[in-house]
Amino acid sequence: MEVDLSKITLRPFKLEDADDFLLFAGDDQVTNYLRWQTLNSKQEALDHIKDVCIPHPWRRSICIDNCSIGFISIFPFSGEEHRFKANIGYGVAVKYWGHGIATKALKMAVPQFFADFPDVVRLEAFIDPQNLGSQRVVEKTGFQKEGMLRKYAYMKGKLRDMFIYSFLSTDLPANP
Amino acid sequence: MEATSVVQLDQTKAKDECLNLSLRPLQVSDVDDFMVWASDEKVTRFCTWEPYTNKEDGLNYIKNTVVPHPWFRAICVDDRPVGAISVSANSGNDKCRGELGYVLASKYWGKGIVTRAVKMVVDTIFVEWPHLERLEALVDVENVGSQRVLEKAGFQREGVLRKYFILKGRSRDMVMFSLLSTDYQS
């Protein structure tokens, strides 16, 4: 399959994306390293879009020809001490892996997010040491690896080590 | 001449190591001792708070923050508080993690007191909190003294987190340190 990366776009989710959403959100391979539980039905997909995607401070559908094949989610922390930081997560349907789509989408999303949230100076990503594909995506996007946080948190019931990566607003290229 | 000064240095070091150190809860009755370090701007340089200027604020802090705190102890020399050390708790998926913090009156700096206090905390916290897997501490990149404390106490330096924290209006790079319950057992 050939993928023309210039056809990748980002936009908010709509209820009409439910079937496409289920294709990746219903796949264990995609949700393996996410906090989400794998979705099981179109109704769950509709509920997730309505209750999570649409009210989310910054979540975008990764689209090819306006069809949803993945998501990028950036969540600013709350509270006076933490609202200048945000956390990024993303996923792409398995059928589209290996074409540089996630990297392309992230390279589009990061400057858009910093423009939308001018108070945020630090974007961070927590990535499982076994998730090599995702490490490559963030590294190609320009995130810097800061270290490994040992036994940092529970994910789906298991205690995990996590690589921590960051992208600062000052890391953005001077010329957009 | 040289031999004499070496002997004197050893005696000072031995005296420091003999300091009668203990940890105990900090009480409202300790407020005057608390004010000694809490009002010192050398001490508060890397703290999020400004030096305390009045005893009323000190009393409120002890009543409202210290007393209900999950784990807060005064660091005492001969049973008089000269600083404090605490471990914060988290909930849910972050329950495995606690954050260590400490502060010491500047007159007592350079004697290895905080290193000893940290070791005393490490000796007890994993037993008191069996769900705790990871004790972590975040230190300003410029706070070299505090980084040395953690290294001497056996913590591992995991990396520098860029612009991780806002201290008094400025974003700061912080060094992340951790000690795992499994590090401690071995």
Side-chain angles (χ1 to χ4, degrees):
Chain A
M1 175 176 59
E2 278 295 313
V3 171
D4 178 1
L5 290 178
S6 68
K7 293 213 164 110
I8 301 292
T9 54
L10 301 180
R11 60 157 172 78
F13 277 97
K14 305 178 292 202
L15 289 172
E16 293 77 6
D17 293 323
D19 288 317
D20 295 327
F21 192 77
L22 189 59
L23 285 178
F24 59 84
D27 185 343
D28 284 339
Q29 280 186 84
V30 174
T31 63
N32 185 25
Y33 292 113
L34 301 175
R35 290 199 177 278
W36 307 11
Q37 292 304 321
T38 312
L39 301 187
N40 284 314
S41 67
K42 180 161 174 180
Q43 187 58 51
E44 283 184 24
L46 281 165
D47 290 342
H48 193 109
I49 294 175
K50 183 166 63 80
D51 299 334
V52 182
C53 298
I54 290 175
H56 196 283
W58 207 98
R59 180 172 284 190
R60 298 289 181 269
S61 166
I62 302 173
C63 295
I64 284 186
D65 294 327
N66 207 31
C67 191
S68 182
I69 60 156
F71 77 96
I72 296 183
S73 214
I74 307 183
F75 205 104
F77 292 102
S78 54
E80 258 320 290
E81 289 177 351
H82 302 290
R83 60 186 183 75
F84 67 97
K85 295 192 287 194
N87 182 279
I88 187 166
Y90 52 86
V92 171
V94 172
K95 139 176 187 193
Y96 289 97
W97 287 8
H99 296 278
I101 291 173
T103 304
K104 174 82 207 278
L106 247 68
K107 284 182 171 175
M108 292 164 67
V110 169
Q112 273 184 39
F113 171 80
F114 280 124
D116 291 343
F117 283 84
D119 283 348
V120 175
V121 307
R122 173 185 168 88
L123 195 47
E124 44 187 38
F126 289 88
I127 302 190
D128 195 294
Q130 292 177 339
N131 191 354
L132 299 173
S134 198
Q135 290 163 40
R136 275 196 296 269
V137 166
V138 294
E139 282 163 10
K140 284 192 275 181
T141 303
F143 279 70
Q144 268 185 48
K145 184 173 181 175
E146 292 170 332
M148 185 170 86
L149 307 180
R150 305 175 302 152
K151 295 196 178 169
Y152 191 67
Y154 285 98
M155 261 261 298
K156 290 176 171 160
K158 279 180 62 196
L159 191 57
R160 311 275 180 123
D161 297 335
M162 295 179 182
F163 284 146
I164 183 166
Y165 286 84
S166 71
F167 195 113
L168 304 185
S169 55
T170 44
D171 292 340
L172 286 169
N175 299 314
Chain B
M1 270 51 68
E2 278 172 347
T4 315
S5 61
V6 164
V7 167
Q8 280 173 348
L9 189 67
D10 278 346
Q11 282 175 344
T12 312
K13 191 162 174 250
K15 241 176 49 189
D16 286 349
E17 277 160 12
C18 286
L19 281 174
N20 177 21
L21 215 63
S22 59
L23 302 183
R24 65 158 172 78
L26 185 75
Q27 286 141 351
V28 168
S29 51
D30 295 318
V31 66
D32 290 323
D33 290 331
F34 169 82
M35 290 301 289
V36 169
W37 74 78
S39 60
D40 183 348
E41 63 179 16
K42 285 207 302 285
V43 172
T44 67
R45 180 176 167 207
F46 293 111
C47 298
T48 51
W49 37 278
E50 295 295 337
Y52 280 68
T53 51
N54 71 73
K55 198 157 138 174
E56 174 91 20
D57 288 345
L59 282 167
N60 286 332
Y61 175 74
I62 297 174
K63 274 190 299 210
N64 302 328
T65 302
V66 173
V67 169
H69 195 284
W71 208 96
F72 192 109
R73 300 287 183 273
I75 300 172
C76 295
V77 170
D78 297 326
D79 207 47
R80 290 282 302 273
V82 297
I85 188 163
S86 61
V87 181
S88 71
N90 287 304
S91 58
N93 285 318
D94 301 325
K95 211 168 125 96
C96 50
R97 212 160 73 228
E99 186 180 338
L100 179 71
Y102 42 76
V103 69
L104 186 72
S106 56
K107 157 176 166 181
Y108 288 93
W109 289 5
K111 300 175 191 297
I113 290 177
V114 178
T115 306
R116 283 172 65 193
V118 170
K119 288 179 172 176
M120 289 163 81
V121 171
V122 166
D123 281 343
T124 169
I125 196 74
F126 292 115
V127 174
E128 286 187 37
W129 290 3
H131 57 273
L132 190 70
E133 305 275 353
R134 172 188 171 90
L135 190 56
E136 64 181 23
L138 286 152
V139 184
D140 195 290
V141 289
E142 286 182 12
N143 193 350
V144 177
S146 191
Q147 291 169 39
R148 272 202 295 265
V149 163
L150 295 167
E151 282 157 10
K152 285 192 277 181
F155 280 64
Q156 222 179 89
R157 192 184 167 112
E158 290 175 333
V160 174
L161 309 184
R162 304 179 300 152
K163 295 194 183 177
Y164 192 72
F165 192 67
I166 298 240
L167 181 71
K168 290 160 174 157
R170 289 175 57 217
S171 59
R172 306 293 302 169
D173 296 348
M174 306 289 280
V175 187
M176 173 71 92
F177 286 87
S178 72
L179 186 79
L180 304 186
S181 59
T182 44
D183 292 341
Y184 172 63
Q185 281 153 29
S186 59

